[in-house]
Amino acid sequence: MKQTVTPALRQWIIEQASAGFAPDAVLEAMKSSGWDEDVAISAMESTLREHLQSQNKSATRASPPAADVPRTASPVVARPASSLPDVALSGAANQIDVGDGLVEVIASLINPRVLVLGHFLSDEECDGLIAAARPRMARSLTVETKSGGEELNPDRTSNGMFFTRGQTPLIERIEARIARLVNWPLENGEGLQVLHYRPGAEYKPHYDYFDPKEPGTPTIVKRGGQRVATLIMYLNEPTRGGATVFPDIGLEVAPLRGNAVFFSYDKPEPSTRSLHGGTPVLEGEKWVATKWLREGVFT
């Protein structure tokens, strides 16, 4: 089928160049979204050449339709809901077929997009993740937004570690299930992170996207663009405390073994109401696994 280079696609290419994305990254984003390589190269070359010739004219900044562009939009541009990871719900169905089993839909919010899911992981999978992660745990770090590196943060008092994508058969199976659940390319996911919270440990309310106003953000988003969604999976149940809270919408999700909570955010702004945190563990311990999803291929 012939692929048509639309004005919306040309505008998207200009926005990516203006945002500092390298041509190779833009090309890979187009290819991963289904564009033929020759068409993509021709579109990039002609668009950027014409843009350079007409820089004295004001460029239109309207966001392009999701059907016409790849899924790696500029980190400061809001994406249509159709271009975000999401769980496809059909009618009144309260279960989702993820290929290797059924996942329950416990609660679903449209705006902001939040879903609480039951039986996403089996007991054996929860135990396997904890056992594989336990020997490698260290004090959790957060992104250092000034430089794009990492730092200790007093708001986050857990221990944690990262698996590389597809590192073990167990990780590979869970990542494939996530990709099917939210209809998002597997390669657009960061490595799975496992966190351990002892009594008193917490993660105060925060956003998962990278603040575009911070000087380190351009460095961070070179590895796959902005974060656009999060999936938190509960690997055990603390005796008391440890809930995941969304202060802006008054939602509190209990940390039940095998369950998960999914939420997305269409732009890196507080208006997404994606503020969330982990309340202090009051008794027992809490283990969770987190998957962050990016706009483009995470390298």
Side-chain angles (χ1 to χ4, degrees), residues 202-206 232 242-247 274-279 286:
E202 65 178 322
Y203 195 176
K204 293 181 180 178
H206 60 281
I232 300 171
T244 302
V245 293
F246 295 81
S274 60
L275 185 71
H276 64 286
T279 62
K286 181 176 79 169

Side-chain angles (χ1 to χ4, degrees), residues 6-285:
T6 64
L9 177 61
R10 292 184 182 278
Q11 179 60 33
W12 181 86
I13 292 171
I14 292 171
E15 289 176 350
Q16 303 314 292
S18 300
F21 288 98
D24 287 348
V26 178
L27 176 60
E28 286 303 314
M30 294 179 69
K31 287 166 60 180
S32 67
S33 295
W35 287 91
D36 180 81
E37 183 171 2
D38 291 339
V39 175
I41 292 173
S42 176
M44 287 174 57
E45 290 179 346
S46 62
T47 298
L48 295 177
R49 182 172 59 250
E50 293 170 8
H51 179 60
L52 289 173
Q53 292 172 352
S54 59
Q55 279 187 325
N56 58 323
K57 298 180 180 180
S58 297
T60 302
R61 300 297 295 177
S63 298
D68 295 330
V69 299
R71 288 171 168 169
T72 53
S74 168
V76 296
V77 177
R79 289 160 294 278
S82 60
S83 68
L84 289 171
D86 198 9
V87 178
L89 302 178
S90 55
N94 62 355
Q95 290 185 323
I96 304 166
D97 187 345
V98 290
D100 58 354
L102 297 175
V103 173
E104 291 183 9
V105 180
I106 297 174
S108 173
L109 281 72
I110 302 299
N111 185 17
R113 190 55 166 155
V114 182
L115 289 101
V116 182
L117 305 166
H119 304 299
F120 184 75
L121 297 176
S122 68
D123 288 348
E124 292 76 17
E125 288 170 333
C126 291
D127 290 341
L129 285 174
I130 292 174
R134 190 185 294 274
R136 299 171 52 188
M137 304 301 287
R139 174 67 186 273
S140 298
L141 303 176
T142 59
V143 172
E144 203 288 296
T145 52
K146 301 296 183 186
S147 66
E150 294 181 314
E151 65 177 353
L152 286 173
N153 187 325
D155 289 345
R156 190 181 200 186
T157 52
S158 62
N159 288 339
M161 57 79 65
F162 275 96
F163 291 105
T164 58
R165 201 167 54 224
Q167 182 171 339
T168 69
L170 173 60
I171 299 297
E172 191 173 23
R173 182 169 73 248
I174 293 172
E175 289 176 331
R177 187 181 306 155
I178 294 171
R180 291 191 297 267
L181 173 75
V182 301
N183 302 291
W184 203 245
L186 188 150
E187 60 270 19
N188 289 20
E190 296 182 25
L192 200 67
Q193 184 187 45
V194 174
L195 296 171
H196 181 210
Y197 295 82
R198 294 185 175 88
E202 65 178 322
Y203 195 176
K204 293 181 180 178
H206 60 281
Y207 299 99
D208 282 350
Y209 59 73
F210 307 115
D211 188 344
K213 300 182 184 67
E214 294 291 346
T217 294
T219 299
I220 299 168
V221 299
K222 285 180 180 179
R223 298 187 64 192
Q226 267 288 356
R227 286 176 177 167
V228 291
T230 303
L231 181 72
I232 300 171
M233 296 157 277
Y234 304 104
L235 307 183
N236 81 319
E237 297 177 15
T239 306
R240 287 193 302 127
T244 302
V245 293
F246 295 81
D248 291 344
I249 58 176
L251 177 65
E252 182 172 306
V253 180
L256 300 179
R257 179 179 170 92
N259 285 8
V261 58
F262 167 81
F263 54 100
S264 61
Y265 24 97
D266 65 341
K267 52 186 175 291
E269 294 180 2
S271 62
T272 57
R273 296 187 292 167
S274 60
L275 185 71
H276 64 286
T279 62
V281 173
L282 302 178
E283 185 178 354
E285 60 180 0

